[in-house]
Each structure stands twice: as structure tokens, then as C-alpha cells.
């Protein structure tokens, strides 16, 4: 194969065949083919990943733990906000509550990242 550029993108063309470097109103055949292959590969990867994760016990446990943590953070945030509003100093405490909630959310994000790393390490195929 001889690499030939067509003005828009790189395309391997058989030896001896040259295409003029003229802009086309229609997509180049190599571009259409690469888009098709990319779509098929994306679809196939999604199918494999979704089915693999759906049948992976470690991922299911991770999903349940994550949902539980999110629910806890939501309920804590609502209760803290309600508690702050009921207090006579609720307006003054609102900023502190918001800052604490943001800090808790940041902490949760870090914990979530750690959990994802752990679970992905467990789910990764072992090298032979």
C-alpha cells in the first residue's frame, strides 16, 4: 500500500492509484468506511462492557455501595439544611452548611474514585 493524501484526510490507496487533491462535496470513501468501522467498534465495545459489568459481582457491589453513599449524602444535606433553617442563626449558618456540604461532596468524590479504582482492579483480567 502507498499512503496518498487526498487534501482532506489520509487514506491508504493501492500502489499506482492516485487521487487528485481536490475537495469533494461528498465524503471520501475512506472517511465513510472509517466512520462505519468506528461505529461498529463502539457498539461492540458497549455491548461487551455493559454485559460484562452487568454480570460482574464486584461491579454490582460497587454500584450498591455508591448508591447508598449518595442517598446518605442527600439525606444528610437535607437534614442539615432543615436544621439550619429552624435555628435562629440559620441564615448565618447557611454558608457554613453549604461549605461543609461542598467539603463532604469533595470527600465523597475522592472516596468514589478510590472505590472505582479498587473495583476496576478486582474486575481486571489477570495477566497470565
Amino acid at each position: 500500500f502507498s499512503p496518498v493524501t487526498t487534501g482532506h484526510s489520509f487514506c491508504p490507496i493501492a500502489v499506482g492509484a492516485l487521487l487528485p487533491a481536490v475537495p469533494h462535496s461528498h465524503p471520501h470513501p475512506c472517511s465513510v468506511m472509517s466512520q462505519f468501522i468506528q461505529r461498529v467498534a463502539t457498539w461492540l465495545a458497549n455491548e461487551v462492557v455493559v454485559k460484562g459489568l452487568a454480570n460482574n459481582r464486584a461491579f454490582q457491589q460497587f454500584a450498591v455501595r455508591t448508591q447508598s453513599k449518595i442517598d446518605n449524602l442527600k439525606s444528610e444535606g437535607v437534614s442539615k439544611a432543615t436544621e439550619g433553617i429552624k435555628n435562629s442563626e440559620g441564615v448565618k449558618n447557611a454558608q457554613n452548611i453549604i461549605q461543609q456540604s461542598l467539603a463532604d461532596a469533595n470527600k465523597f468524590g475522592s472516596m468514589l474514585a478510590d472505590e472505582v479504582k479498587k473495583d476496576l482492579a478486582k474486575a481486571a483480567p489477570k495477566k497470565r
Side-chain angles (χ1 to χ4, degrees):
F1 286 96
S2 171
V4 176
T5 57
T6 61
H8 290 297
S9 62
F10 175 79
C11 178
I13 306 284
V15 175
L18 297 176
L19 295 177
V22 177
H24 300 287
S25 61
H26 299 290
H28 191 271
C30 289
S31 174
V32 173
M33 184 58 115
S34 67
Q35 288 175 0
F36 173 75
I37 291 171
Q38 183 180 10
R39 285 183 183 166
V40 169
T42 301
W43 175 81
L44 184 62
N46 284 338
E47 285 293 312
V48 169
V49 169
V50 169
K51 288 180 181 177
L53 290 177
N55 296 325
N56 186 312
R57 183 169 173 81
F59 181 77
Q60 291 171 356
Q61 291 172 346
F62 161 74
V64 169
R65 284 193 310 263
T66 301
Q67 185 62 45
S68 174
K69 288 178 184 180
I70 289 173
D71 291 342
N72 288 341
L73 279 175
K74 283 181 185 177
S75 64
E76 287 177 17
V78 168
S79 66
K80 285 181 180 181
T82 305
E83 182 181 306
I85 291 171
K86 288 181 181 178
N87 281 337
S88 61
E89 296 182 48
V91 175
K92 292 179 184 177
N93 291 331
Q95 185 176 8
N96 292 336
I97 291 170
I98 291 170
Q99 288 175 345
Q100 183 62 41
S101 295
L102 290 174
D104 289 345
N106 191 18
K107 181 179 175 185
F108 172 76
S110 297
M111 291 170 54
L112 177 62
D114 292 343
E115 288 294 321
V116 168
K117 287 177 186 174
K118 288 179 192 174
D119 289 338
L120 287 176
K122 288 179 186 175
K126 304 292 183 212
K127 292 185 178 180
R128 294 179 183 173

